[in-house]
Amino acid sequence: MSLLLTGATVIDGVSEKGIEGRSILVDEGRIVAIGRPNEIPVPPDTEVVDFSGKFIIPGMMNANVHLFVNILFETLVRYEGRYEELIIEAAQVALKSGMTTVFDTWGPRRALMAVRDRIDQGDVVGSRVRCAGNIIGFEGPFSHDFDGRIPGIGSSHFVDRVNATWVENSGRHLMWLTPKAVGAEVRKYIEHGINFVKYAANEHGGTSGGAFLQFSERTQRVIVEEAHRAGLTAQAHAQSVEGLRMSIEAGCDLVQHCNMTGPVEIPGETLELFSQNNCSAVVFPLANSGMEALKQSVSDHEWTIWKASDANSRRLIESDAMILLANDGGIFAPEFMQEPMVKGTWNGLPEDEALGRLATGHFVWLRAMEEKGMSPMDLLHAATRNIARAYKVEDDLGTLEVGKIADMVVLDADPLRGAKNYRSIHAVVKDGALVDTDALPERPLLTADLPGPLEEETRYKRALHHGARLPGCPTCVSGTH
């Protein structure tokens, strides 16, 4: 059935401003006409929806999400064999929030690809998913790249199986190999059917906070060449100014969280490399109020890192770099959000300040970049057209033009008059069909509230913590308990 959206102001991502009183005709999932209502012939049996007074923008996109980011030991035990259910839930949360396409940059490859294909085939509802699987050079969830506490707690059989599910042949062992041998392993990994390649220019966290370089310049070039040979884009995980420079010069198409370069700001000559090398800049900003909240809970050293990332975001806006919206977005179980380890991190910020939440983080991003000086139309492009161009899917996505896939978001308020108006989602259209956002997610798992206390919990008497110091106890005073 054809669909006609009529009466709205269309902000197509191509024109310099919105155009009032336009209609968009959709057939077989694609846009077939845009114009004044009296200019468009309407086929019989067309569903007509009047959006007078509303604003239609291209479906929003996200250049870096993790649809399965809740990698707590108990989560991976509880949902072993059910990873696809968690990924579907996250893809539906993303779609409900106006993101019609998301790019998953780290996760269990086979489960992500299975959900990707089910959504593409129309078997399940969800944001369009494109995925990289593992980050080339990183180990799995139960490793020092992510959570090194688990080996020795969980059985070695389960720990190894989880890590293998994420890593396969693409992990840290590649750091020992020659560039040619790394290229051969990357080629094998690409053959599984991933959509793009992400590799580690820098380590992930670790004792040096991400400063160590992961692959040599020669090896990075080979990884990029293998991706391009397969017709895929290549992107880098970079966390230092030198890692950033090396990845751009290696020829990668985009660099993730490129504003986060430790306590050092990006040199001017490196900023210039983005436009010179046609490399896109994926930025992770915090709003001013979020920065102030974080300042109260981090160390002085950590604060220097956040200040540098903020300065980098502002300078990237002033540069010629093509900026992409992204936020490491994921959904977290409510018990995870209560953990002390989350406090004092960007995920521990209140909902309207936390960048990493899949349902709301993109709204935080838009507000933060608006505060730092990004223009209204550049904000729209960062959330739509720029991402499509960077991932080379602009023939189908990113703008509202005849012939393109009919992905749209209908807003109650004009986004060009304030980033806060992106929250005013009235309707979502994906593949030419109105989405029943009220029904999403269809099966809440991680988004479900914690169950009420067990009867036994109401009677539970907690013992003194092992580390508590009892007055007058010699062993407590001496710390030998």
Side-chain angles (χ1 to χ4, degrees):
M1 182 180 292
S2 299
L3 175 68
L4 181 70
L5 312 181
T6 186
T9 295
V10 174
I11 307 173
D12 57 19
V14 180
S15 308
E16 294 183 0
K17 61 181 182 178
I19 305 174
E20 297 179 2
R22 288 299 184 264
S23 292
I24 301 176
L25 180 63
V26 175
D27 188 50
E28 296 186 353
R30 290 187 180 263
I31 298 171
V32 296
I34 303 176
R36 294 185 178 89
N38 59 1
E39 296 175 339
I40 300 177
V42 181
D45 300 323
T46 296
E47 179 184 1
V48 179
V49 184
D50 187 355
F51 284 133
S52 296
K54 310 298 183 186
F55 301 82
I56 300 180
I57 63 172
M60 288 187 280
M61 310 171 86
N62 193 317
N64 185 338
V65 303
H66 303 298
L67 298 176
F68 191 2
V69 74
N70 198 109
I71 53 172
L72 285 179
F73 180 66
E74 64 191 74
T75 302
L76 294 174
V77 171
R78 182 184 304 162
Y79 294 103
E80 186 182 17
R82 300 173 59 192
Y83 292 173
E84 290 180 31
E85 295 176 51
L86 300 181
I87 294 168
I88 289 171
E89 178 185 19
Q92 292 181 346
V93 168
L95 184 59
K96 182 185 182 78
S97 303
M99 291 180 287
T100 53
T101 302
V102 296
F103 295 87
D104 189 293
T105 67
W106 178 76
R109 178 195 59 77
R110 186 154 50 92
L112 283 165
M113 288 174 52
V115 173
R116 173 198 68 189
D117 295 344
R118 290 175 67 186
I119 292 173
D120 285 351
Q121 293 161 8
D123 297 334
V124 295
V125 176
S127 179
R128 184 178 297 101
V129 175
R130 297 295 177 258
C131 59
N134 192 42
I135 298 172
I136 306 297
F138 284 173
E139 284 300 307
F142 299 155
S143 73
H144 289 292
D145 282 326
F146 294 95
D147 191 348
R149 303 171 303 166
I150 305 305
I153 298 175
S155 70
S156 58
H157 173 73
F158 183 68
V159 167
D160 288 346
R161 185 164 61 194
V162 166
N163 285 338
T165 301
W166 262 255
V167 177
E168 301 179 77
N169 69 314
S170 66
R172 290 179 67 87
H173 76 283
L174 298 180
M175 295 170 64
W176 295 99
L177 305 183
T178 64
K180 182 178 180 180
V182 171
E185 293 300 309
V186 171
R187 197 176 312 128
K188 292 176 186 175
Y189 195 67
I190 289 173
E191 288 172 355
H192 288 303
I194 57 175
N195 298 106
F196 56 94
V197 171
K198 183 179 181 181
Y199 72 89
N202 289 93
E203 61 168 347
H204 190 256
T207 55
S208 68
F212 287 164
L213 297 173
Q214 189 96 352
F215 287 116
S216 70
E217 293 186 56
R218 287 201 309 156
T219 301
Q220 290 191 41
R221 289 194 185 97
V222 167
I223 294 172
V224 171
E225 287 168 3
E226 288 297 336
H228 289 171
R229 182 178 290 113
L232 308 182
T233 59
Q235 61 181 255
H237 162 99
Q239 286 192 269
S240 72
V241 292
E242 193 63 3
L244 175 60
R245 179 195 63 78
M246 288 172 60
S247 60
I248 298 174
E249 292 185 342
C252 68
D253 300 287
L254 56 150
V255 182
Q256 293 291 351
H257 39 72
C258 64
N259 61 310
M260 306 181 81
T261 52
V264 180
E265 295 182 19
I266 303 172
E269 58 267 28
T270 303
L271 286 173
E272 294 173 1
L273 288 177
F274 279 103
S275 58
Q276 291 174 7
N277 292 49
N278 196 28
C279 180
S280 298
V282 182
V283 179
F284 284 11
L286 288 182
N288 295 339
S289 49
M291 288 284 288
E292 286 302 312
L294 197 64
K295 183 178 181 181
Q296 307 307 314
S297 57
V298 299
S299 67
D300 290 344
H301 174 68
E302 289 173 306
W303 181 239
T304 64
I305 292 174
W306 282 105
K307 284 198 301 182
S309 74
D310 187 75
N312 287 338
S313 297
R314 297 173 189 274
R315 295 179 67 204
L316 281 160
I317 291 172
E318 296 169 357
S319 74
D320 292 329
M322 187 167 73
I323 293 175
L324 316 184
L325 179 153
N327 66 334
D328 259 1
I331 57 176
F332 302 94
E335 61 266 27
F336 172 81
M337 300 310 298
Q338 296 179 9
E339 283 296 295
M341 66 179 180
V342 177
K343 296 177 180 178
T345 70
W346 67 338
N347 277 319
L349 292 172
E351 182 82 15
D352 57 351
E353 301 292 352
L355 184 66
R357 311 287 174 83
L358 184 62
T360 55
H362 51 307
F363 302 134
V364 176
W365 192 99
L366 292 160
R367 176 165 58 90
M369 294 299 274
E370 178 184 61
E371 290 175 350
K372 298 179 203 314
M374 203 167 191
S375 73
M377 191 57 76
D378 285 343
L379 288 173
L380 178 74
H381 290 161
T384 55
R385 187 182 73 179
N386 291 359
I387 298 176
R389 287 180 175 177
Y391 279 99
K392 303 191 187 317
V393 293
E394 70 270 28
D395 287 348
D396 288 321
L397 303 169
T399 57
L400 301 180
E401 298 179 82
V402 171
K404 291 197 173 184
I405 293 173
D407 285 2
M408 294 170 262
V409 178
V410 183
L411 302 173
D412 287 325
D414 186 353
L416 300 183
R417 290 186 176 274
K420 67 181 185 299
N421 292 338
Y422 282 93
R423 288 182 175 267
S424 67
I425 294 177
H426 181 86
V428 177
V429 177
K430 178 175 176 279
D431 290 318
L434 284 163
V435 177
D436 183 3
T437 55
D438 291 338
L440 302 180
E442 295 172 330
R443 191 178 179 192
L445 296 169
L446 294 184
T447 53
D449 293 332
L450 278 171
L454 300 171
E455 180 184 346
E456 294 86 349
E457 288 182 276
T458 64
R459 298 193 298 270
Y460 176 54
K461 305 297 183 185
R462 187 181 299 276
L464 284 171
H465 188 275
H466 181 72
R469 297 185 181 274
L470 303 178
C473 174
T475 53
C476 278
V477 172
S478 64
T480 56
H481 251 347

